[in-house]
Amino acid sequence: MNKGVSFCLLACGIGAASAADIRLAGPVSGLLYNRVARAVQPMLGVPGGAWLGAPVVSDVDWAVVAPDGRQALVGRGGEACLVRSLPDAAHEGIRLGKTSRAALAAWNLESSAAVLRTEAGLLLVGDVGLVELESPAGPVSALAVDGSGKNVLAITGSAVYLLSPGLPPRLLMGIDGGGAVAVHRQSAFVAGQNQVFEIRNFAEPGGAQVRPLHTARDGLSDITGLACSRDGRRLLIADRGLKTVVIHDLGAGAPAATIELDFVPAGIELVAGSELYLLKPGGGPAPFYVLAGGPVPGVYFVPAGGSGGEE
C-alpha cells in the first residue's frame, strides 16, 4: 500500500486487511457490510450453508459495496472514501468529503459509477470524475445511477427527479410516499407506499414515459425496497406491510412469485459479486437473510460465523 493510499484510509479511520489477515476458506458468494462488526466481510459457502468470513475492510461506520464486489464507498467519523481493489489486501483509497454517519449512497449495476450524499450535496463518482450535482428541493430519500454513469434518479417525499452534471434537477413525476428506486438501462422503477411505476427513456428530454407496474390491487401494502436482477428480467419488491418479496417478471408484465417471510423486510439489494439479494430485517441488525433466485426461490439466513440454514 503506497503512502497516498495509506493516508486516505487512515484519514478515514479505515482498517485495510493485510494479506496474512484474509482467510477466504471456501467459495466466496459475495461481500456484505456487517453493521455490528463495522466491517465489510465475504460471505463464504453457498446459501443454506454460508457464513461471514474475516473482514476485508474494518472499522467503518457504513459501507456500500459495488455490485462487482471490487470497490466500495465507506466512511468513518464523518469522512467518506472510495475504496478499490477489493477483496484483495492492497486497497486503493480516494477521499470524497464529509458525510453523515447514516450515509445515503448507491452504485449502478455496472459498478462504473456511484452517487453519495455529502455535507456539501450530492456527489457523482465515476468515469466523469468527482462531480457535484444540483440537489432537488426537499430531503432525498433514495438514489440510483443509470448505466451511463451520468444520470442519477433522486426521490424526495413527493417527487422523482433526474439529476445530470451541469443541469438543474428535472422533475419526472410526482409520487406519494416515495422511498425506493432501481434502474436498468433506459428504465427506472420507483416505488410509492403501495405501488411501483416504470419510467421509460427517463434520460431523454421530453421522452420519459410513465406507467404503473404493480399496485395495491396486485398485492402491495408498504414497499421498503426495490432491486433489479442483473439481466433486467426481474424486479424484486420488498413489502414490510405484508412481510413478502414479490418477484415481478418484467418480460411477462406480471408477478412470477411471492415469497412470504417470517420477519419484516426493511429493504432489499443485490449482494456484491453475486446473483443473490440481501434482505435487511427491520428492528435488528442480525442475522443476515439472502434470497437465492432460480426456479424455486428460497430465503436463507447467514450467521456471522459457523454455518447457515434455510429460513
Side-chain angles (χ1 to χ4, degrees):
M1 192 183 304
N2 63 46
K3 283 188 176 181
V5 172
S6 298
F7 175 77
C8 172
L9 297 179
L10 291 174
C12 294
I14 297 166
S18 68
D21 292 331
I22 298 178
R23 300 286 186 268
L24 301 183
V28 178
S29 298
L31 291 176
L32 302 176
Y33 174 66
N34 185 342
R35 183 159 57 92
V36 173
R38 300 180 67 248
V40 176
Q41 297 174 257
M43 184 170 65
L44 306 177
V46 296
W51 67 98
L52 297 184
V56 296
V57 176
S58 60
D59 197 24
V60 289
D61 295 325
W62 57 267
V64 180
V65 187
D68 64 2
R70 300 293 299 169
Q71 51 193 332
L73 298 176
V74 301
R76 180 181 185 274
E79 185 78 29
C81 277
L82 170 64
V83 179
R84 290 173 170 161
S85 300
L86 296 176
D88 302 323
H91 306 319
E92 302 174 10
I94 300 173
R95 297 178 68 173
L96 300 177
K98 297 289 185 179
T99 186
S100 68
R101 289 182 178 272
L104 180 63
W107 288 89
N108 61 3
L109 280 172
E110 294 76 9
S111 301
S112 63
V115 61
L116 169 69
R117 182 175 60 191
T118 70
E119 289 184 353
L122 296 176
L123 183 67
L124 184 61
V125 182
D127 294 338
V128 296
L130 304 180
V131 179
E132 293 184 0
L133 299 172
E134 185 176 339
S135 298
V140 175
S141 59
L143 294 166
V145 188
D146 74 350
S148 74
K150 299 177 181 179
N151 299 298
V152 170
L153 276 293
I155 295 185
T156 65
S158 60
V160 182
Y161 292 91
L162 177 69
L163 311 179
S164 302
L167 297 175
R170 175 155 60 92
L171 177 66
L172 294 177
M173 65 175 292
I175 194 166
D176 182 23
V181 58
V183 174
H184 185 268
R185 295 183 179 174
Q186 298 301 313
S187 290
F189 305 94
V190 298
Q193 181 176 2
N194 60 6
Q195 55 189 336
V196 179
F197 295 90
E198 180 182 10
I199 309 177
R200 295 181 175 178
N201 301 318
F202 57 85
E204 299 296 328
Q209 303 170 347
V210 180
R211 70 182 184 100
L213 187 71
H214 208 88
T215 68
R217 290 176 297 180
D218 300 314
L220 292 176
S221 171
D222 191 356
I223 302 169
T224 55
L226 299 175
C228 278
S229 62
R230 292 182 187 271
D231 59 11
R233 296 180 179 179
R234 298 174 302 280
L235 180 70
L236 286 78
I237 308 168
D239 190 317
R240 67 182 170 193
L242 301 176
K243 294 199 295 187
T244 60
V245 174
V246 176
I247 301 178
H248 191 95
D249 187 320
L250 295 172
T258 298
I259 302 172
E260 296 183 355
L261 308 171
D262 64 4
F263 61 92
V264 176
I268 186 170
E269 62 187 43
L270 193 65
V271 175
S274 79
E275 298 293 336
L276 305 172
Y277 300 88
L278 175 66
L279 287 165
K280 302 176 181 179
F288 293 94
Y289 291 92
V290 293
L291 186 153
V296 183
V299 176
Y300 304 86
F301 69 85
V302 181
S307 58
E310 189 168 10
E311 183 223 0

